[in-house]
């Protein structure tokens, strides 16, 4: 991931938003949205090797369902972080907190089968 490119894009967006606020404040939203989506797409593209490594490691050392759970949890957290950040940009801290809470609950719901398996194994070990 080229962090310098991402920071450069962010700085350009901030400068454009700052200039646009002085003349046409309503045009700052599209610049913010395009910048956010561009940076998010760059982050997702650079995360491809991580996803591939997790897939390979999960196939070699643990059941595939665990790797899928890990990847889906990562995806949920990325989407919720992006959504919460956009809400905060618009001054909607309450909505941002709701999105973050929904993401946490979604990850726990995804992990329930794994939690059930762990509790089952613990029960077998104790009895």
């Amino acid at each position: 991931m080229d962090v310098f490119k991402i920071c450069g894009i962010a700085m350009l967006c901030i400068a454009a938003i700052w200039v646009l606020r002085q003349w046409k404040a309503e045009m700052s939203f599209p610049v913010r949205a395009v910048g956010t989506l561009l940076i998010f797409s760059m982050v997702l593209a650079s995360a491809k090797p991580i996803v591939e490594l997790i897939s390979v490691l999960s196939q070699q050392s643990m059941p595939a369902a665990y790797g899928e759970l890990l990847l889906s949890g990562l995806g949920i957290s990325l989407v919720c972080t992006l959504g919460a950040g956009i809400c905060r940009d618009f001054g909607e801290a309450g909505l941002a907190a709701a999105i973050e809470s929904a993401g946490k609950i979604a990850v726990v719901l995804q992990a329930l089968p794994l939690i059930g398996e762990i509790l089952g194994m613990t029960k077998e070990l104790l009895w």
Side-chain angles (χ1 to χ4, degrees):
M1 175 167 47
D2 196 354
V3 177
F4 294 111
K5 284 182 185 177
I6 291 173
C7 289
I9 290 169
M11 294 302 124
L12 286 173
C13 286
I14 289 171
I17 290 168
W18 185 74
V19 169
L20 286 172
R21 278 189 190 159
Q22 295 176 1
W23 288 299
K24 288 191 171 189
E26 66 273 4
M27 291 302 296
S28 64
F29 173 73
V31 173
R32 181 182 295 137
V34 168
T36 301
L37 291 175
L38 182 62
I39 290 172
F40 190 67
S41 66
M42 290 175 70
V43 169
L44 286 180
S46 65
K48 187 177 179 182
I50 295 170
V51 172
E52 291 173 355
L53 179 63
I54 290 173
S55 296
V56 169
L57 291 176
S58 68
Q59 291 172 356
Q60 292 175 352
S61 61
M62 62 182 152
Y66 297 168
E68 291 173 11
L69 178 66
L70 181 65
L71 290 175
S72 67
L74 179 63
I76 290 169
S77 68
L78 286 173
V79 169
C80 289
T81 301
L82 176 66
I86 290 171
C87 288
R88 280 193 190 90
D89 282 347
F90 286 99
E92 297 294 333
L95 286 175
I99 290 173
E100 290 172 344
S101 296
K104 291 172 187 175
I105 290 172
V107 170
V108 169
L109 286 173
Q110 290 248 322
L112 281 178
L114 177 61
I115 293 169
E117 286 183 33
I118 291 171
L119 291 175
M121 286 188 285
T122 306
K123 183 179 176 182
E124 287 178 17
L125 288 173
L126 293 175
W127 301 109

